[in-house]
Amino acid sequence: MIVVRPLNELIGLLPPLAALVFFGDFDTWRVITSFGVVGLVIGYGLLSWLTTKYRITDSQVELHKGVVFRQRRSIPRDRIRTVDLTAKLGHRLFRLSAVRVGTGQQERTPGEGTVTLDAVTAVEAERLRQALLRKTEHVEDADEEGVTIASLDTRWYRYAPLTLSGFISIGIVIGFLMNLVNELDLRFSEVGFFRRALHWLSSAEPATVVPVVAGFAIVLSVLASLAGYLLQNHNYRLTRQSDGTVRVRRGLLTTRSVSIEEKRLRGAVLHEPLLLRAGGGGRVTAVTTGLNKVGGSSLLLPPAPRPEADRVTADVLAVADTPTASPLTQHPARAKTRRIIRAVVPTVVIAAVLLALAETADWPTWLWIVAAVLVPVSALVALDRYRALGHSLTNDYLVARSGSLDRRTVALRRDGIIGWKLTRTLFQRRARVFTLTAVTAAGSGGYSVLDIGDEQGLDLAEAAIPGLIGQFLIRG
Amino acid sequence: MSESEWRLRAPANLVSKRAVLLWTLRAVIFWVVVVGAQGVVLLVVDGAPTWLRATMVVAAVVGVVHALVMPRWRYRVHRWETTGDAVFTRSGWISQEWRLAPISRIQTVDTARGPLQQLLNLSTITVTTASAQGPLRVEGLDAEVAARVVDELAATTQATPGDAT
């Protein structure tokens, strides 16, 4: 803790500091400020370490912390659902780890239901993980490996470029660099290579620039997504431990270990974004109480072949066949009309507005041409979205699927449903469809069956939890 | 609009008639601020853009229609019911939301009263469950009715075992 917190922050500050030293025009005042900032960061880390204490009693986990605002948080041990060990690079240098304990409590403010101990030694973290999740007295070896459900196969790397993470990370990096260049007033245009590149970009024909830039972007994004896959999923293992938890371990520089209490596992989500689906792959996340929605802590399986995704889902949920692959009932054709209208009308309106602006206000004409080309594309996406819509009910699970660019199939345990939400917009009422949301304590709190037919949806709600909605239905 | 397939009946109880006044007051306050801000700019700033007059007129017309139509529409939609094992609410106006929660899954039941509601002797019941989807709300109930309902719900909830997740 004493070094790790500032160290992690310093690692984040390294690139700009290095850039400042190597490229910046030296300015004593600026250097003093940066060292002052470093000093403050270290001082604050020291103070937080001195003021943080935790205690684990028979019934409670208590954390006292805060430099200016003192904070005391305690959570009952029998409410602990998940334990997440995260070790960033700074932690790993000193064999430390951050322990995040999640409960099933509803979070009104983010973080209310969790306690984070940042950082304890890796050995202590492992001891805590076992102690906190063990409800019954039983002895476990310190290095128990558990039963492996799945582990990383190097062939899965071929799915990495099929996620958009590469594009996104390139965008972030470029944005960051641009910002840095601006901030530090670096003059890249004076470096020969960049000047030649810029000159070529501004002078060459668009017909050659566009493919070259596009090719460059694709190669970069493939490399970035491969690197991202390596960083996040190196040494990925999914195991079932003898203390009734499933455990995911992964990561190259930042290592994570997430333990989920099996009793609290309410289902799983199969994610198949368009590209990944085209390549026959999928990604699986857990629906459980006690995990933060952010930070990817609920990941069960990184992008992997679809049959593997189905096998892992079935194994984790302890069923013979995964509910996420069960045959689905389609939604009425009225839902298709709605999908098409919702996708096509906005693009047509945008194209029309751009056309009008091109005619009257001298906007470039290619804008409305691009928008017009997008109209049939949006219609195709709409058709695909309709094809994705579906639901089914198995013995234990409610299954719902929707989305095209980001298709997700949710399997939610029927006994984990703690209520219904039925929403009907004016247009949905006219189309005799509605959105049925199964309310649950786990995951995002609610999972929707989009545009289900009136009759169909009410029957589904009654069949999933007999007797709840039934008392309000008109029999006839 | 065909309702033949929609076999879900509306919850039994209406909210207080004074809720119409509550929603009207809220809408009026909102629109007075929106129109008033534009009016102040028009009066105070020299050479305020002319289109500001147009948006102010539009805002005024929309505001009047909204303040007249929305509260009455809402009053017809907002309904609630509690049975021995469930809480059932309907809310909204153009878009409508129906919520159902089994008593066994309820975590807390509270009432809240804003300044306007205190003025009109109204109360909002909030029924929270363990979900991040947010609580069930019944807005604009008569304060005494609300207090009674909360007592009843609290009694039934306590009698039901389980940790409501």
Side-chain angles (χ1 to χ4, degrees), chain A residues 11-263:
Chain A
I11 288 175
L13 283 175
L14 264 183
L17 280 177
L20 190 73
V21 172
F22 291 115
F23 295 104
D25 36 354
F26 261 104
D27 179 339
T28 7
W29 186 79
R30 208 182 253 178
V31 173
I32 290 171
T33 344
S34 21
F35 278 101
V37 168
V38 170
L40 277 180
V41 168
I42 292 175
Y44 182 73
L46 193 64
L47 272 178
S48 359
W49 177 71
L50 284 172
T51 51
T52 303
K53 289 187 176 65
Y54 70 90
R55 177 167 66 179
I56 291 158
T57 66
D58 284 344
S59 58
Q60 302 265 329
V61 178
E62 288 175 39
L63 179 69
H64 297 189
K65 67 167 181 180
V67 179
V68 183
F69 297 99
R70 296 288 294 159
Q71 215 181 18
R72 282 161 170 256
R73 177 171 289 169
S74 63
I75 58 177
R77 281 180 65 175
D78 59 0
R79 282 274 166 139
I80 294 173
R81 309 289 184 244
T82 58
V83 175
D84 176 345
L85 314 183
T86 305
K88 293 185 183 170
L89 197 54
H91 292 104
R92 293 191 57 200
L93 283 177
F94 298 93
R95 299 193 52 76
L96 297 171
S97 184
V99 181
R100 194 166 65 216
V101 181
T103 65
Q105 197 187 347
Q106 181 189 11
E107 296 194 353
R108 276 172 216 163
T109 53
E112 190 183 314
T114 57
V115 165
T116 307
L117 310 175
D118 183 11
V120 296
T121 62
V123 178
E124 171 76 353
E126 180 60 26
R127 191 187 71 78
L128 284 176
R129 183 187 73 78
Q130 287 176 19
L132 293 178
L133 285 170
R134 192 185 310 144
K135 305 290 154 57
T136 52
E137 280 305 318
H138 91 137
V139 188
E140 187 182 13
D141 293 330
D143 49 19
E144 192 221 43
E145 270 304 295
V147 184
T148 303
I149 299 173
S151 58
L152 191 73
D153 184 328
T154 43
R155 282 171 297 178
W156 296 356
Y157 274 97
R158 68 175 187 273
Y159 293 105
L162 297 179
T163 57
L164 289 176
S165 64
F167 272 112
I168 294 166
S169 44
I170 287 183
I172 293 171
V173 168
I174 288 180
F176 177 71
L177 286 180
M178 295 290 251
N179 193 15
L180 205 62
V181 167
N182 264 338
E183 278 298 303
L184 303 175
D185 202 14
L186 308 181
R187 299 200 177 77
F188 273 122
S189 52
E190 284 166 17
V191 181
F193 170 74
F194 290 103
R195 198 170 51 213
R196 276 201 301 280
L198 277 174
H199 178 73
W200 180 81
L201 274 178
S202 51
S203 62
E205 287 291 310
T208 51
V209 168
V210 171
V212 166
V213 170
F216 200 62
I218 288 174
V219 169
L220 266 185
S221 85
V222 165
L223 291 178
S225 58
L226 285 172
Y229 200 97
L230 175 73
L231 284 176
Q232 287 174 12
N233 302 319
H234 178 71
N235 255 340
Y236 158 84
R237 265 164 308 156
L238 175 64
T239 52
R240 174 172 275 117
Q241 310 290 121
S242 58
D243 54 0
T245 59
V246 286
R247 186 177 185 198
V248 182
R249 273 166 292 185
R250 63 200 174 94
L252 180 67
L253 297 179
T254 296
T255 57
R256 296 195 82 151
S257 152
V258 180
S259 300
I260 302 168
E261 198 184 357
E262 274 186 273
K263 265 194 305 192

Side-chain angles (χ1 to χ4, degrees), chain A residues 272-342:
Chain A
E272 297 170 286
L274 188 64
L275 281 175
L276 196 56
R277 180 151 39 102
R283 191 164 61 86
V284 183
T285 55
V287 177
T288 181
T289 47
L291 279 185
N292 279 27
K293 278 126 226 158
V294 288
S297 52
S298 61
L299 187 88
L300 284 177
L301 183 73
R306 178 69 200 277
E308 179 71 3
D310 288 344
R311 186 188 68 74
V312 167
T313 315
D315 201 335
V316 169
L317 299 179
V319 288
D321 293 303
T322 172
T324 52
S326 64
L328 302 181
T329 313
Q330 279 223 316
H331 293 183
R334 283 144 11 217
K336 174 154 57 178
T337 325
R338 258 177 67 75
R339 289 294 114 210
I340 292 174
I341 290 174
R342 283 178 57 127

Side-chain angles (χ1 to χ4, degrees), chain B residues 90-148:
Chain B
R90 183 173 77 173
S91 61
W93 54 304
I94 294 179
S95 293
Q96 299 177 358
E97 185 178 297
W98 309 57
R99 290 285 298 263
L100 255 167
I103 297 271
S104 59
R105 307 296 194 156
I106 290 174
Q107 289 194 324
T108 61
V109 186
D110 349 279
T111 55
R113 314 175 71 190
L116 280 181
Q117 299 209 42
Q118 289 186 32
L119 199 70
L120 297 166
N121 195 29
L122 294 173
S123 202
T124 297
I125 299 186
T126 311
V127 178
T128 54
T129 60
S131 167
Q133 276 290 301
L136 280 73
R137 269 180 220 284
V138 188
E139 201 180 39
L141 273 185
D142 185 88
E144 275 144 44
V145 178
R148 206 186 59 224

Side-chain angles (χ1 to χ4, degrees), chain A residues 79 106 264 415 418-424 429 432 434 439-440 445 455 459 469 471-474, chain B residues 1 5-7 9 83 85-86 88 94-100 102 105 129-131 133 163 165:
Chain A
R79 282 274 166 139
Q106 181 189 11
R264 296 293 160 173
D415 55 14
I418 59 171
W420 296 110
K421 181 165 99 176
L422 298 78
T423 42
R424 306 169 81 199
R429 289 209 293 278
R432 280 171 290 132
F434 70 102
V439 178
T440 169
E455 180 93 51
D459 287 345
I469 204 169
Q471 55 189 320
F472 303 109
L473 291 180
I474 302 157
Chain B
M1 192 169 18
E5 284 184 26
W6 187 257
R7 291 173 296 119
R9 69 171 171 80
T83 68
D85 60 355
F88 183 29
I94 294 179
S95 293
Q96 299 177 358
E97 185 178 297
W98 309 57
R99 290 285 298 263
L100 255 167
R105 307 296 194 156
T129 60
S131 167
Q133 276 290 301
D163 73 347
T165 60

